[in-house]
Amino acid sequence: MTLAGLLPRLGGEVFVDDESLRSGDPRAAVRNGLVLVPDDRSLFRNLTCEQHLRLASRGGRAAYQSAVASTLEYFPALGKRMNVAAGSLSGGEQQMLAIARALLQRPKVLLIDELSMGLAPVIVESILPTLRDVASTDRTAIVLVEQHVRLALAVADRAVVLAHGNIALQDDAADLAADLPRLEAAYLGG
């Protein structure tokens, strides 16, 4: 919430491409390419997938159609649900819609808070590789807050474990995945 400008910082600075972002200014964050997918997904229950994506798009009709088509390549299941209200979607479909909506804003940095909240592990396992594809294909930095550590480490480049707001451990994701005792000690406060 603080990185996205929704809460004022208590200290430090947030930079995107060497541009310092003004504290507590979510519009400035989005203008500079930092987009948040919050843990509650923040969808309008009565709006359809199409309406959500149209609200998030930039540019005219042709730009919208092109952007939606490329975004739906990541989430083809949503293409069949474009006229369905968000409140009628499954939890996994809602998460895909929230991420697709964020991608339409062409983020440089995509913040995803608790991707797996309320989702079956099999759904999380299907979405995480898609995020890896987004990072590789679109050159989007993704900051993922996730409780399913092993799943997240499988697709991440770097990992940071926070304890009470302080960095307890940081390393390459593959190195941490290979050293579970060290990870567990940092994660559980040992």
Side-chain angles (χ1 to χ4, degrees), residues 57-118:
S57 70
R58 298 178 179 185
R61 184 174 182 81
Y64 165 76
Q65 290 174 335
S66 173
V68 167
S70 64
T71 300
L72 290 179
E73 287 178 18
Y74 292 121
F75 304 108
L78 282 181
K80 300 172 186 137
R81 309 284 280 160
M82 292 298 280
N83 294 318
V84 175
S88 297
L89 298 174
S90 70
E93 290 169 332
Q94 288 179 3
Q95 188 65 279
M96 289 179 220
L97 176 58
I99 295 168
R101 180 183 61 190
L103 291 176
L104 282 177
Q105 297 175 59
R106 300 182 201 120
K108 295 175 187 174
V109 180
L110 180 61
L111 305 171
I112 303 176
D113 190 11
E114 295 292 348
L115 171 81
S116 66
M117 188 175 293

Side-chain angles (χ1 to χ4, degrees), residues 19-186:
E19 180 84 23
S20 178
L21 303 183
R22 192 170 49 222
S23 178
D25 187 350
R27 288 183 182 155
V30 171
R31 272 194 309 275
N32 284 284
L34 198 147
V35 178
L36 171 68
V37 176
D39 59 359
D40 67 358
R41 302 178 190 119
S42 293
L43 298 173
F44 298 100
R45 296 185 54 74
N46 294 327
L47 294 184
T48 65
C49 292
E50 165 82 21
Q51 290 166 326
H52 275 94
L53 298 180
R54 186 171 298 283
L55 284 172
S57 70
R58 298 178 179 185
R61 184 174 182 81
Y64 165 76
Q65 290 174 335
S66 173
V68 167
S70 64
T71 300
L72 290 179
E73 287 178 18
Y74 292 121
F75 304 108
L78 282 181
K80 300 172 186 137
R81 309 284 280 160
M82 292 298 280
N83 294 318
V84 175
S88 297
L89 298 174
S90 70
E93 290 169 332
Q94 288 179 3
Q95 188 65 279
M96 289 179 220
L97 176 58
I99 295 168
R101 180 183 61 190
L103 291 176
L104 282 177
Q105 297 175 59
R106 300 182 201 120
K108 295 175 187 174
V109 180
L110 180 61
L111 305 171
I112 303 176
D113 190 11
E114 295 292 348
L115 171 81
S116 66
M117 188 175 293
L119 300 181
V122 69
I123 301 298
V124 178
E125 289 173 9
S126 72
I127 293 176
L128 283 172
T130 300
L131 294 178
R132 177 77 253 172
D133 290 345
V134 168
S136 299
T137 304
D138 295 349
R139 311 276 306 149
T140 301
I142 297 176
V143 177
L144 175 67
V145 175
E146 181 51 57
Q147 60 185 332
H148 293 287
V149 178
R150 290 183 190 181
L151 293 176
L153 289 175
V155 298
D157 294 321
R158 300 260 324 143
V160 177
V161 177
L162 297 176
H164 307 290
N166 297 310
I167 296 175
L169 179 65
Q170 62 180 326
D171 206 340
D172 289 332
D175 291 343
L176 286 179
D179 190 358
L180 290 178
R182 184 170 68 125
L183 177 64
E184 288 172 0

